[in-house]
Amino acid sequence: MATTGIVNGTIIGLYADISGTLTKVANATSHGLDLSADMIETTTKDSAGWKEFIAGEKGGTISVDGRFEEDASVGSGSYSFQDLMDKMVAGTTLLAVWGSNVTGDKKTSAEVYVSSMSLSAPQNDAASFTCSLQITGAVTFGSF
Protein backbone atom coordinates (compact mmCIF):
# COMPACT_ATOMS: atom_id res chain seq x y z
CA MET A 1 0.00 0.00 0.00
CA ALA A 2 1.40 3.40 -0.95
CA THR A 3 2.68 5.71 1.77
CA THR A 4 0.29 8.55 2.70
CA GLY A 5 0.82 11.90 4.39
CA ILE A 6 4.17 13.51 5.10
CA VAL A 7 6.90 10.97 4.42
CA ASN A 8 9.38 10.13 7.18
CA GLY A 9 12.80 10.44 5.50
CA THR A 10 13.94 7.26 7.26
CA ILE A 11 11.99 5.10 4.79
CA ILE A 12 13.64 6.65 1.72
CA GLY A 13 16.53 4.55 0.49
CA LEU A 14 19.14 4.53 -2.22
CA TYR A 15 19.40 1.26 -4.08
CA ALA A 16 21.63 -0.26 -6.73
CA ASP A 17 19.57 -2.20 -9.24
CA ILE A 18 21.59 -5.38 -9.77
CA SER A 19 19.96 -7.38 -12.59
CA GLY A 20 16.48 -6.37 -11.38
CA THR A 21 17.20 -6.87 -7.67
CA LEU A 22 17.20 -3.71 -5.54
CA THR A 23 20.23 -3.74 -3.24
CA LYS A 24 20.18 -1.01 -0.59
CA VAL A 25 23.30 1.10 0.01
CA ALA A 26 24.51 -0.09 3.42
CA ASN A 27 24.51 2.10 6.53
CA ALA A 28 23.19 5.23 4.83
CA THR A 29 22.18 8.09 7.10
CA SER A 30 21.07 10.63 4.49
CA HIS A 31 20.30 10.85 0.76
CA GLY A 32 19.74 13.72 -1.60
CA LEU A 33 18.42 13.94 -5.15
CA ASP A 34 19.14 17.14 -7.06
CA LEU A 35 17.76 17.68 -10.57
CA SER A 36 18.26 20.80 -12.65
CA ALA A 37 17.54 22.23 -16.09
CA ASP A 38 19.72 24.74 -17.90
CA MET A 39 17.87 27.91 -18.80
CA ILE A 40 18.71 29.37 -22.21
CA GLU A 41 18.14 33.09 -22.38
CA THR A 42 16.05 34.19 -25.38
CA THR A 43 15.55 37.86 -24.46
CA THR A 44 15.16 40.24 -27.39
CA LYS A 45 14.46 43.93 -27.81
CA ASP A 46 10.79 42.92 -28.08
CA SER A 47 10.75 41.37 -24.57
CA ALA A 48 9.40 44.58 -22.98
CA GLY A 49 12.25 44.77 -20.46
CA TRP A 50 11.71 41.23 -19.14
CA LYS A 51 14.16 38.39 -19.60
CA GLU A 52 12.82 35.37 -21.45
CA PHE A 53 14.06 31.78 -21.35
CA ILE A 54 13.54 28.34 -22.80
CA ALA A 55 14.42 25.10 -21.05
CA GLY A 56 17.69 23.48 -22.07
CA GLU A 57 19.47 20.30 -21.05
CA LYS A 58 18.63 18.57 -17.79
CA GLY A 59 20.89 16.75 -15.35
CA GLY A 60 21.38 15.90 -11.74
CA THR A 61 23.21 14.27 -8.90
CA ILE A 62 22.43 11.92 -6.05
CA SER A 63 24.27 12.17 -2.76
CA VAL A 64 24.54 9.66 0.05
CA ASP A 65 26.07 9.94 3.50
CA GLY A 66 26.59 6.93 5.72
CA ARG A 67 28.50 5.09 8.40
CA PHE A 68 31.58 3.25 7.16
CA GLU A 69 31.72 -0.51 7.60
CA GLU A 70 34.33 -2.87 6.19
CA ASP A 71 33.07 -4.72 3.13
CA ALA A 72 33.33 -8.20 4.67
CA SER A 73 30.86 -7.40 7.46
CA VAL A 74 28.25 -5.58 5.34
CA GLY A 75 26.71 -8.76 3.97
CA SER A 76 25.59 -9.88 0.54
CA GLY A 77 22.18 -8.15 0.69
CA SER A 78 23.61 -4.63 0.75
CA TYR A 79 25.70 -2.39 -1.50
CA SER A 80 28.81 -1.39 0.44
CA PHE A 81 31.21 1.55 0.46
CA GLN A 82 33.70 -0.75 -1.28
CA ASP A 83 31.15 -1.61 -4.00
CA LEU A 84 30.72 2.13 -4.67
CA MET A 85 34.50 2.60 -4.65
CA ASP A 86 34.93 -0.26 -7.12
CA LYS A 87 32.46 1.41 -9.52
CA MET A 88 34.33 4.71 -9.26
CA VAL A 89 37.74 3.14 -9.89
CA ALA A 90 36.42 1.09 -12.83
CA GLY A 91 34.64 4.12 -14.33
CA THR A 92 31.48 2.12 -14.86
CA THR A 93 27.86 3.06 -14.23
CA LEU A 94 25.27 1.56 -11.97
CA LEU A 95 21.51 1.87 -12.07
CA ALA A 96 20.52 3.87 -8.98
CA VAL A 97 16.98 3.83 -7.63
CA TRP A 98 15.86 6.42 -5.09
CA GLY A 99 12.68 5.96 -3.05
CA SER A 100 10.90 4.08 -0.28
CA ASN A 101 10.62 0.61 -1.89
CA VAL A 102 7.01 0.58 -0.64
CA THR A 103 4.56 -0.88 -3.17
CA GLY A 104 2.71 1.96 -4.90
CA ASP A 105 5.21 4.69 -3.91
CA LYS A 106 7.06 6.68 -6.55
CA LYS A 107 10.65 5.94 -7.50
CA THR A 108 13.32 7.77 -9.45
CA SER A 109 15.84 5.74 -11.47
CA ALA A 110 18.94 6.76 -13.38
CA GLU A 111 22.26 5.46 -14.61
CA VAL A 112 24.98 7.09 -12.51
CA TYR A 113 28.73 7.35 -12.26
CA VAL A 114 30.33 7.57 -8.83
CA SER A 115 31.92 11.01 -9.16
CA SER A 116 33.39 11.46 -5.68
CA MET A 117 33.82 9.65 -2.39
CA SER A 118 35.13 10.71 0.97
CA LEU A 119 35.86 8.71 4.10
CA SER A 120 36.18 10.35 7.51
CA ALA A 121 37.54 8.66 10.63
CA PRO A 122 37.45 11.09 13.56
CA GLN A 123 38.80 10.17 16.97
CA ASN A 124 36.16 8.79 19.35
CA ASP A 125 33.40 8.89 16.75
CA ALA A 126 31.95 6.60 14.09
CA ALA A 127 33.74 6.51 10.76
CA SER A 128 31.56 7.91 7.99
CA PHE A 129 31.50 8.39 4.24
CA THR A 130 29.99 10.67 1.65
CA CYS A 131 29.46 9.82 -1.98
CA SER A 132 28.27 11.80 -5.00
CA LEU A 133 26.67 10.13 -7.99
CA GLN A 134 26.51 11.93 -11.33
CA ILE A 135 23.41 11.13 -13.36
CA THR A 136 24.14 10.29 -17.01
CA GLY A 137 21.30 10.15 -19.50
CA ALA A 138 17.58 10.33 -18.87
CA VAL A 139 15.97 10.03 -15.45
CA THR A 140 12.93 7.78 -15.29
CA PHE A 141 10.03 8.01 -12.88
CA GLY A 142 7.87 5.07 -11.93
CA SER A 143 6.38 3.19 -9.00
CA PHE A 144 7.61 0.39 -6.80
Side-chain angles (χ1 to χ4, degrees):
M1 183 170 147
T3 304
T4 59
I6 304 294
V7 176
N8 182 335
T10 303
I11 71 167
I12 304 297
L14 178 62
Y15 302 85
D17 184 329
I18 311 297
S19 301
T21 300
L22 294 184
T23 306
K24 197 172 193 178
V25 172
N27 302 316
T29 58
S30 181
H31 308 96
L33 171 64
D34 296 301
L35 301 176
S36 63
D38 295 339
M39 293 291 113
I40 301 168
E41 187 171 349
T42 59
T43 307
T44 68
K45 292 180 180 181
D46 298 321
S47 297
W50 291 95
K51 289 186 175 187
E52 295 177 333
F53 296 88
I54 59 173
E57 296 169 333
K58 293 168 276 305
T61 59
I62 299 172
S63 61
V64 59
D65 301 328
R67 300 290 182 210
F68 175 73
E69 183 175 356
E70 288 291 346
D71 192 48
S73 65
V74 169
S76 61
S78 296
Y79 208 75
S80 70
F81 174 87
Q82 187 63 52
D83 293 328
L84 291 166
M85 181 74 75
D86 290 346
K87 284 290 185 183
M88 187 178 84
V89 170
T92 55
T93 64
L94 66 106
L95 179 56
V97 178
W98 194 86
S100 68
N101 203 12
V102 172
T103 300
D105 281 1
K106 302 295 182 190
K107 68 178 179 179
T108 303
S109 304
E111 287 290 326
V112 298
Y113 284 101
V114 179
S115 59
S116 69
M117 297 190 72
S118 176
L119 180 59
S120 177
Q123 180 175 335
N124 199 36
D125 200 356
S128 61
F129 71 91
T130 61
C131 178
S132 292
L133 307 171
Q134 178 65 55
I135 295 171
T136 181
V139 173
T140 59
F141 303 98
S143 298
F144 285 102

mmCIF file of all heavy atoms in Angstrom, residues 60-96:
data_model
loop_
_atom_site.group_PDB
_atom_site.id
_atom_site.type_symbol
_atom_site.label_atom_id
_atom_site.label_comp_id
_atom_site.label_asym_id
_atom_site.label_seq_id
_atom_site.Cartn_x
_atom_site.Cartn_y
_atom_site.Cartn_z
ATOM 1 N N GLY A 60 21.537 15.984 -13.183
ATOM 2 C CA GLY A 60 21.375 15.903 -11.742
ATOM 3 C C GLY A 60 22.429 15.059 -11.064
ATOM 4 O O GLY A 60 23.284 14.447 -11.705
ATOM 5 N N THR A 61 22.321 15.053 -9.753
ATOM 6 C CA THR A 61 23.208 14.267 -8.905
ATOM 7 C C THR A 61 22.400 13.626 -7.785
ATOM 8 O O THR A 61 21.306 14.079 -7.444
ATOM 9 C CB THR A 61 24.326 15.130 -8.269
ATOM 10 O OG1 THR A 61 23.724 16.167 -7.493
ATOM 11 C CG2 THR A 61 25.245 15.727 -9.321
ATOM 12 N N ILE A 62 22.960 12.577 -7.246
ATOM 13 C CA ILE A 62 22.425 11.923 -6.055
ATOM 14 C C ILE A 62 23.558 11.902 -5.051
ATOM 15 O O ILE A 62 24.708 11.602 -5.400
ATOM 16 C CB ILE A 62 21.949 10.487 -6.353
ATOM 17 C CG1 ILE A 62 20.817 10.502 -7.398
ATOM 18 C CG2 ILE A 62 21.505 9.789 -5.081
ATOM 19 C CD1 ILE A 62 20.424 9.129 -7.901
ATOM 20 N N SER A 63 23.253 12.234 -3.812
ATOM 21 C CA SER A 63 24.270 12.174 -2.764
ATOM 22 C C SER A 63 23.834 11.179 -1.698
ATOM 23 O O SER A 63 22.644 10.961 -1.478
ATOM 24 C CB SER A 63 24.480 13.560 -2.137
ATOM 25 O OG SER A 63 23.282 14.017 -1.543
ATOM 26 N N VAL A 64 24.809 10.578 -1.062
ATOM 27 C CA VAL A 64 24.536 9.662 0.048
ATOM 28 C C VAL A 64 25.612 9.850 1.104
ATOM 29 O O VAL A 64 26.792 9.985 0.791
ATOM 30 C CB VAL A 64 24.452 8.187 -0.439
ATOM 31 C CG1 VAL A 64 25.728 7.735 -1.121
ATOM 32 C CG2 VAL A 64 24.109 7.253 0.709
ATOM 33 N N ASP A 65 25.184 9.920 2.342
ATOM 34 C CA ASP A 65 26.073 9.941 3.504
ATOM 35 C C ASP A 65 25.794 8.680 4.306
ATOM 36 O O ASP A 65 24.645 8.219 4.356
ATOM 37 C CB ASP A 65 25.793 11.153 4.402
ATOM 38 C CG ASP A 65 25.966 12.475 3.683
ATOM 39 O OD1 ASP A 65 26.814 12.560 2.778
ATOM 40 O OD2 ASP A 65 25.250 13.428 4.037
ATOM 41 N N GLY A 66 26.816 8.141 4.941
ATOM 42 C CA GLY A 66 26.591 6.929 5.724
ATOM 43 C C GLY A 66 27.701 6.641 6.704
ATOM 44 O O GLY A 66 28.695 7.356 6.783
ATOM 45 N N ARG A 67 27.500 5.579 7.451
ATOM 46 C CA ARG A 67 28.501 5.088 8.401
ATOM 47 C C ARG A 67 29.344 4.039 7.688
ATOM 48 O O ARG A 67 28.817 3.145 7.032
ATOM 49 C CB ARG A 67 27.834 4.470 9.630
ATOM 50 C CG ARG A 67 26.959 5.425 10.398
ATOM 51 C CD ARG A 67 27.792 6.464 11.083
ATOM 52 N NE ARG A 67 26.937 7.348 11.858
ATOM 53 C CZ ARG A 67 27.197 8.601 12.110
ATOM 54 N NH1 ARG A 67 28.294 9.155 11.623
ATOM 55 N NH2 ARG A 67 26.397 9.331 12.829
ATOM 56 N N PHE A 68 30.656 4.170 7.835
ATOM 57 C CA PHE A 68 31.576 3.250 7.161
ATOM 58 C C PHE A 68 31.614 1.914 7.882
ATOM 59 O O PHE A 68 31.676 1.846 9.106
ATOM 60 C CB PHE A 68 32.980 3.844 7.115
ATOM 61 C CG PHE A 68 33.994 2.894 6.541
ATOM 62 C CD1 PHE A 68 34.006 2.614 5.191
ATOM 63 C CD2 PHE A 68 34.913 2.269 7.363
ATOM 64 C CE1 PHE A 68 34.934 1.722 4.662
ATOM 65 C CE2 PHE A 68 35.844 1.386 6.851
ATOM 66 C CZ PHE A 68 35.851 1.108 5.489
ATOM 67 N N GLU A 69 31.573 0.854 7.085
ATOM 68 C CA GLU A 69 31.722 -0.509 7.598
ATOM 69 C C GLU A 69 32.560 -1.278 6.595
ATOM 70 O O GLU A 69 32.369 -1.149 5.386
ATOM 71 C CB GLU A 69 30.343 -1.156 7.749
ATOM 72 C CG GLU A 69 30.373 -2.534 8.346
ATOM 73 C CD GLU A 69 28.968 -3.099 8.592
ATOM 74 O OE1 GLU A 69 27.968 -2.395 8.371
ATOM 75 O OE2 GLU A 69 28.901 -4.270 9.003
ATOM 76 N N GLU A 70 33.498 -2.067 7.086
ATOM 77 C CA GLU A 70 34.334 -2.867 6.190
ATOM 78 C C GLU A 70 33.463 -3.798 5.355
ATOM 79 O O GLU A 70 32.457 -4.329 5.836
ATOM 80 C CB GLU A 70 35.356 -3.690 6.990
ATOM 81 C CG GLU A 70 36.465 -2.865 7.598
ATOM 82 C CD GLU A 70 37.427 -2.264 6.579
ATOM 83 O OE1 GLU A 70 37.428 -2.674 5.392
ATOM 84 O OE2 GLU A 70 38.186 -1.364 6.971
ATOM 85 N N ASP A 71 33.837 -3.973 4.116
ATOM 86 C CA ASP A 71 33.072 -4.722 3.135
ATOM 87 C C ASP A 71 32.682 -6.115 3.632
ATOM 88 O O ASP A 71 31.554 -6.539 3.444
ATOM 89 C CB ASP A 71 33.890 -4.820 1.843
ATOM 90 C CG ASP A 71 33.064 -5.315 0.678
ATOM 91 O OD1 ASP A 71 31.961 -4.780 0.484
ATOM 92 O OD2 ASP A 71 33.513 -6.228 -0.025
ATOM 93 N N ALA A 72 33.585 -6.820 4.268
ATOM 94 C CA ALA A 72 33.335 -8.203 4.670
ATOM 95 C C ALA A 72 32.182 -8.330 5.663
ATOM 96 O O ALA A 72 31.510 -9.357 5.710
ATOM 97 C CB ALA A 72 34.599 -8.816 5.261
ATOM 98 N N SER A 73 31.925 -7.299 6.460
ATOM 99 C CA SER A 73 30.865 -7.402 7.463
ATOM 100 C C SER A 73 29.536 -6.813 7.007
ATOM 101 O O SER A 73 28.537 -6.934 7.707
ATOM 102 C CB SER A 73 31.312 -6.730 8.766
ATOM 103 O OG SER A 73 31.489 -5.335 8.577
ATOM 104 N N VAL A 74 29.490 -6.199 5.825
ATOM 105 C CA VAL A 74 28.250 -5.581 5.343
ATOM 106 C C VAL A 74 27.219 -6.638 4.979
ATOM 107 O O VAL A 74 26.044 -6.499 5.247
ATOM 108 C CB VAL A 74 28.525 -4.636 4.158
ATOM 109 C CG1 VAL A 74 27.228 -4.204 3.488
ATOM 110 C CG2 VAL A 74 29.304 -3.427 4.625
ATOM 111 N N GLY A 75 27.632 -7.700 4.357
ATOM 112 C CA GLY A 75 26.705 -8.760 3.965
ATOM 113 C C GLY A 75 26.338 -8.676 2.498
ATOM 114 O O GLY A 75 26.445 -7.628 1.865
ATOM 115 N N SER A 76 25.854 -9.783 1.975
ATOM 116 C CA SER A 76 25.589 -9.877 0.542
ATOM 117 C C SER A 76 24.319 -9.155 0.122
ATOM 118 O O SER A 76 24.130 -8.893 -1.055
ATOM 119 C CB SER A 76 25.508 -11.347 0.127
ATOM 120 O OG SER A 76 24.441 -11.979 0.819
ATOM 121 N N GLY A 77 23.432 -8.802 1.046
ATOM 122 C CA GLY A 77 22.181 -8.153 0.689
ATOM 123 C C GLY A 77 22.266 -6.649 0.605
ATOM 124 O O GLY A 77 21.250 -5.993 0.408
ATOM 125 N N SER A 78 23.450 -6.085 0.767
ATOM 126 C CA SER A 78 23.612 -4.631 0.753
ATOM 127 C C SER A 78 24.721 -4.224 -0.199
ATOM 128 O O SER A 78 25.604 -5.008 -0.520
ATOM 129 C CB SER A 78 23.947 -4.118 2.154
ATOM 130 O OG SER A 78 22.882 -4.349 3.036
ATOM 131 N N TYR A 79 24.678 -2.961 -0.623
ATOM 132 C CA TYR A 79 25.696 -2.392 -1.503
ATOM 133 C C TYR A 79 26.629 -1.578 -0.619
ATOM 134 O O TYR A 79 26.204 -0.611 0.019
ATOM 135 C CB TYR A 79 25.026 -1.512 -2.565
ATOM 136 C CG TYR A 79 25.794 -1.427 -3.852
ATOM 137 C CD1 TYR A 79 25.812 -2.490 -4.738
ATOM 138 C CD2 TYR A 79 26.485 -0.283 -4.181
ATOM 139 C CE1 TYR A 79 26.506 -2.414 -5.931
ATOM 140 C CE2 TYR A 79 27.188 -0.188 -5.382
ATOM 141 C CZ TYR A 79 27.199 -1.261 -6.237
ATOM 142 O OH TYR A 79 27.884 -1.183 -7.412
ATOM 143 N N SER A 80 27.881 -1.954 -0.539
ATOM 144 C CA SER A 80 28.814 -1.391 0.435
ATOM 145 C C SER A 80 29.591 -0.186 -0.099
ATOM 146 O O SER A 80 29.589 0.094 -1.304
ATOM 147 C CB SER A 80 29.821 -2.462 0.867
ATOM 148 O OG SER A 80 30.700 -2.771 -0.210
ATOM 149 N N PHE A 81 30.281 0.477 0.815
ATOM 150 C CA PHE A 81 31.214 1.546 0.460
ATOM 151 C C PHE A 81 32.210 1.032 -0.573
ATOM 152 O O PHE A 81 32.492 1.692 -1.564
ATOM 153 C CB PHE A 81 31.941 2.027 1.722
ATOM 154 C CG PHE A 81 33.029 3.032 1.461
ATOM 155 C CD1 PHE A 81 32.737 4.387 1.387
ATOM 156 C CD2 PHE A 81 34.352 2.633 1.293
ATOM 157 C CE1 PHE A 81 33.736 5.319 1.147
ATOM 158 C CE2 PHE A 81 35.355 3.560 1.053
ATOM 159 C CZ PHE A 81 35.046 4.908 0.982
ATOM 160 N N GLN A 82 32.713 -0.180 -0.358
ATOM 161 C CA GLN A 82 33.699 -0.755 -1.282
ATOM 162 C C GLN A 82 33.082 -0.998 -2.660
ATOM 163 O O GLN A 82 33.741 -0.784 -3.678
ATOM 164 C CB GLN A 82 34.280 -2.054 -0.727
ATOM 165 C CG GLN A 82 35.426 -2.608 -1.564
ATOM 166 C CD GLN A 82 36.621 -1.672 -1.615
ATOM 167 O OE1 GLN A 82 37.104 -1.232 -0.579
ATOM 168 N NE2 GLN A 82 37.098 -1.355 -2.809
ATOM 169 N N ASP A 83 31.822 -1.423 -2.708
ATOM 170 C CA ASP A 83 31.148 -1.607 -4.002
ATOM 171 C C ASP A 83 31.086 -0.285 -4.765
ATOM 172 O O ASP A 83 31.327 -0.236 -5.973
ATOM 173 C CB ASP A 83 29.731 -2.152 -3.807
ATOM 174 C CG ASP A 83 29.698 -3.567 -3.263
ATOM 175 O OD1 ASP A 83 30.622 -4.356 -3.582
ATOM 176 O OD2 ASP A 83 28.753 -3.888 -2.529
ATOM 177 N N LEU A 84 30.749 0.807 -4.049
ATOM 178 C CA LEU A 84 30.723 2.130 -4.673
ATOM 179 C C LEU A 84 32.119 2.533 -5.148
ATOM 180 O O LEU A 84 32.287 3.044 -6.249
ATOM 181 C CB LEU A 84 30.169 3.164 -3.696
ATOM 182 C CG LEU A 84 28.681 3.034 -3.363
ATOM 183 C CD1 LEU A 84 28.334 3.869 -2.143
ATOM 184 C CD2 LEU A 84 27.827 3.425 -4.556
ATOM 185 N N MET A 85 33.120 2.277 -4.299
ATOM 186 C CA MET A 85 34.504 2.604 -4.647
ATOM 187 C C MET A 85 34.947 1.831 -5.887
ATOM 188 O O MET A 85 35.588 2.389 -6.777
ATOM 189 C CB MET A 85 35.438 2.299 -3.472
ATOM 190 C CG MET A 85 36.896 2.622 -3.746
ATOM 191 S SD MET A 85 37.251 4.378 -3.740
ATOM 192 C CE MET A 85 37.216 4.691 -1.992
ATOM 193 N N ASP A 86 34.575 0.559 -5.963
ATOM 194 C CA ASP A 86 34.931 -0.258 -7.123
ATOM 195 C C ASP A 86 34.342 0.318 -8.409
ATOM 196 O O ASP A 86 35.003 0.342 -9.450
ATOM 197 C CB ASP A 86 34.458 -1.703 -6.943
ATOM 198 C CG ASP A 86 35.238 -2.451 -5.864
ATOM 199 O OD1 ASP A 86 36.317 -1.968 -5.435
ATOM 200 O OD2 ASP A 86 34.741 -3.521 -5.433
ATOM 201 N N LYS A 87 33.088 0.798 -8.348
ATOM 202 C CA LYS A 87 32.462 1.411 -9.522
ATOM 203 C C LYS A 87 33.211 2.673 -9.934
ATOM 204 O O LYS A 87 33.414 2.927 -11.121
ATOM 205 C CB LYS A 87 30.988 1.748 -9.248
ATOM 206 C CG LYS A 87 30.083 0.555 -9.260
ATOM 207 C CD LYS A 87 29.950 0.011 -10.666
ATOM 208 C CE LYS A 87 28.937 -1.114 -10.731
ATOM 209 N NZ LYS A 87 28.853 -1.700 -12.065
ATOM 210 N N MET A 88 33.616 3.477 -8.945
ATOM 211 C CA MET A 88 34.328 4.710 -9.262
ATOM 212 C C MET A 88 35.668 4.403 -9.929
ATOM 213 O O MET A 88 36.004 4.986 -10.961
ATOM 214 C CB MET A 88 34.552 5.554 -8.015
ATOM 215 C CG MET A 88 35.134 6.927 -8.353
ATOM 216 S SD MET A 88 35.356 7.969 -6.923
ATOM 217 C CE MET A 88 36.929 7.395 -6.341
ATOM 218 N N VAL A 89 36.417 3.477 -9.364
ATOM 219 C CA VAL A 89 37.739 3.139 -9.894
ATOM 220 C C VAL A 89 37.624 2.549 -11.300
ATOM 221 O O VAL A 89 38.415 2.878 -12.183
ATOM 222 C CB VAL A 89 38.477 2.176 -8.931
ATOM 223 C CG1 VAL A 89 39.731 1.617 -9.568
ATOM 224 C CG2 VAL A 89 38.806 2.889 -7.625
ATOM 225 N N ALA A 90 36.608 1.712 -11.521
ATOM 226 C CA ALA A 90 36.423 1.089 -12.831
ATOM 227 C C ALA A 90 35.855 2.062 -13.862
ATOM 228 O O ALA A 90 35.949 1.819 -15.067
ATOM 229 C CB ALA A 90 35.498 -0.118 -12.706
ATOM 230 N N GLY A 91 35.243 3.165 -13.402
ATOM 231 C CA GLY A 91 34.642 4.121 -14.328
ATOM 232 C C GLY A 91 33.400 3.584 -15.004
ATOM 233 O O GLY A 91 33.088 3.949 -16.131
ATOM 234 N N THR A 92 32.684 2.702 -14.297
ATOM 235 C CA THR A 92 31.478 2.115 -14.861
ATOM 236 C C THR A 92 30.243 2.651 -14.131
ATOM 237 O O THR A 92 30.326 3.117 -13.004
ATOM 238 C CB THR A 92 31.509 0.578 -14.757
ATOM 239 O OG1 THR A 92 31.718 0.193 -13.393
ATOM 240 C CG2 THR A 92 32.622 0.006 -15.614
ATOM 241 N N THR A 93 29.105 2.562 -14.803
ATOM 242 C CA THR A 93 27.860 3.064 -14.225
ATOM 243 C C THR A 93 27.151 1.986 -13.418
ATOM 244 O O THR A 93 27.454 0.797 -13.540
ATOM 245 C CB THR A 93 26.887 3.559 -15.319
ATOM 246 O OG1 THR A 93 26.503 2.460 -16.138
ATOM 247 C CG2 THR A 93 27.508 4.658 -16.152
ATOM 248 N N LEU A 94 26.209 2.460 -12.623
ATOM 249 C CA LEU A 94 25.270 1.561 -11.968
ATOM 250 C C LEU A 94 23.899 2.196 -12.083
ATOM 251 O O LEU A 94 23.768 3.410 -12.257
ATOM 252 C CB LEU A 94 25.647 1.292 -10.514
ATOM 253 C CG LEU A 94 25.581 2.441 -9.522
ATOM 254 C CD1 LEU A 94 24.374 2.291 -8.614
ATOM 255 C CD2 LEU A 94 26.840 2.423 -8.661
ATOM 256 N N LEU A 95 22.870 1.373 -12.032
ATOM 257 C CA LEU A 95 21.505 1.873 -12.072
ATOM 258 C C LEU A 95 21.089 2.163 -10.633
ATOM 259 O O LEU A 95 20.974 1.240 -9.816
ATOM 260 C CB LEU A 95 20.560 0.863 -12.720
ATOM 261 C CG LEU A 95 19.087 1.253 -12.792
ATOM 262 C CD1 LEU A 95 18.898 2.591 -13.506
ATOM 263 C CD2 LEU A 95 18.273 0.158 -13.458
ATOM 264 N N ALA A 96 20.910 3.447 -10.321
ATOM 265 C CA ALA A 96 20.525 3.871 -8.978
ATOM 266 C C ALA A 96 19.019 4.100 -8.938
ATOM 267 O O ALA A 96 18.429 4.643 -9.873
ATOM 268 C CB ALA A 96 21.254 5.153 -8.597
#
